Amino acid sequence: ATIWALALHDKSADESRHLDLLSRIASATAEPEPIVEKAIIMALGAIARRSPALRTATQEAGRQIGANPARRRVAKAAQRV
């Protein structure tokens, strides 16, 4: 949820900061809680809306997350952004 808030409200952050956040999101996908899954989906959407380059990076992160069958819902959400 904190990553989602940063992606939405930190207007001065550059793309490299958000790329770093994408790697943290990828590591958080192992958490099975539904609330964590929802926060991840919302953060991916917020990051993807910042720029075309971040949208591409978010979609690539979704492909990597999709390698884990338990995280397919998160991966599909990342592909839709």
Side-chain angles (χ1 to χ4, degrees):
T2 304
I3 294 173
W4 176 32
L6 284 171
L8 282 176
H9 301 293
D10 191 3
K11 302 298 182 191
S12 63
D14 60 353
E15 288 186 4
S16 64
R17 176 166 175 126
H18 293 292
L19 291 173
D20 179 50
L21 293 176
L22 282 175
S23 66
R24 290 182 185 209
I25 288 172
S27 66
T29 58
E31 184 67 36
E33 297 294 323
I35 192 76
V36 174
E37 184 176 291
K38 181 65 175 176
I40 290 169
I41 290 169
M42 298 301 286
L44 288 171
I47 290 171
R49 284 189 292 274
R50 292 190 64 98
S51 75
L54 286 173
R55 177 180 304 254
T56 303
T58 301
Q59 291 171 341
E60 179 59 34
R63 283 188 209 89
Q64 293 172 359
I65 292 168
N68 181 351
R71 299 288 96 197
R72 293 260 164 91
R73 182 174 171 202
V74 174
K76 285 182 182 180
Q79 294 300 312
R80 285 191 303 258
V81 296

